[in-house]
Amino acid sequence: MKYIFIINPVAGQRKHHSLLNEIEDAFIKGNCPKSYVKLETTSIGDAYYKTLEALTTYQDDCVIVACGGDGTVNEVVRAVVNHKSPLLFLPFGTGNDLAKKIYGAKFNLRNIVEKFGFLTGNPNIMTKNVDLVRLNDTYFINV
């Protein structure tokens, strides 16, 4: 199983880069460095295309991990909507309204990362169904 981290490097004023480095180190030390794939976005809309690229390459043998704010998550959602690969998200944004609804108003990012097993190099997937909105053939998550 590949874990594809779609990373918005400017989300949340870049304050989460050290945590991303810890995650990457954990995958390398956990004897599964080939299961970690990091794709950084460079512009608005790029998360959508990076996600499609990953889904085309790895098909259903991947988990998409959106690392950014609500905008990044919505771009990734548009790409995964017709695929079986699960979507996890790490709230690296500024407002993180979606994360507050899913993880609780006073979520702790490190606790989320630990619950997903990303700091041990042995990820475990916890999924939850969410409602999507479709407007003019565009899907998105709204809170």
Side-chain angles (χ1 to χ4, degrees):
M1 181 70 66
K2 298 281 186 186
Y3 289 83
I4 315 299
F5 287 75
I6 307 293
I7 301 166
N8 179 345
V10 297
Q13 295 89 37
R14 303 177 179 135
K15 61 185 177 183
H16 304 297
H17 286 280
S18 62
L19 187 56
L20 283 171
N21 290 337
E22 286 182 60
I23 293 169
E24 187 171 7
D25 288 346
F27 271 84
I28 291 167
K29 291 175 184 170
N31 295 324
C32 52
K34 293 182 181 180
S35 64
Y36 176 86
V37 178
K38 178 169 103 174
L39 301 174
E40 288 193 4
T41 64
T42 57
S43 60
I44 293 173
D46 202 26
Y48 171 79
Y49 293 108
K50 298 277 185 188
T51 303
L52 283 181
E53 172 188 325
L55 292 168
T56 299
T57 302
Y58 302 109
Q59 304 293 315
D60 294 334
D61 191 33
C62 69
V63 175
I64 304 296
V65 183
C67 303
D70 295 338
T72 304
V73 172
N74 273 306
E75 287 183 29
V76 172
V77 162
R78 287 188 7 243
V80 300
V81 73
N82 291 314
H83 294 270
K84 293 180 182 178
S85 295
L87 165 64
L88 305 176
F89 78 98
L90 299 180
F92 286 6
T94 303
N96 296 311
D97 292 324
L98 180 62
K100 290 174 186 171
K101 290 296 181 188
I102 292 185
Y103 298 127
K106 296 186 181 200
F107 70 86
N108 178 296
L109 181 57
R110 179 168 283 282
N111 289 346
I112 294 168
V113 168
E114 288 174 358
K115 283 183 183 177
F116 285 141
F118 290 145
L119 294 181
T120 65
N122 291 317
N124 71 29
I125 304 169
M126 295 173 285
T127 61
K128 182 178 192 177
N129 291 329
V130 297
D131 291 330
L132 295 178
V133 179
R134 180 176 160 194
L135 179 65
N136 297 329
D137 294 324
T138 298
Y139 289 91
F140 58 95
I141 295 177
N142 190 29
V143 292

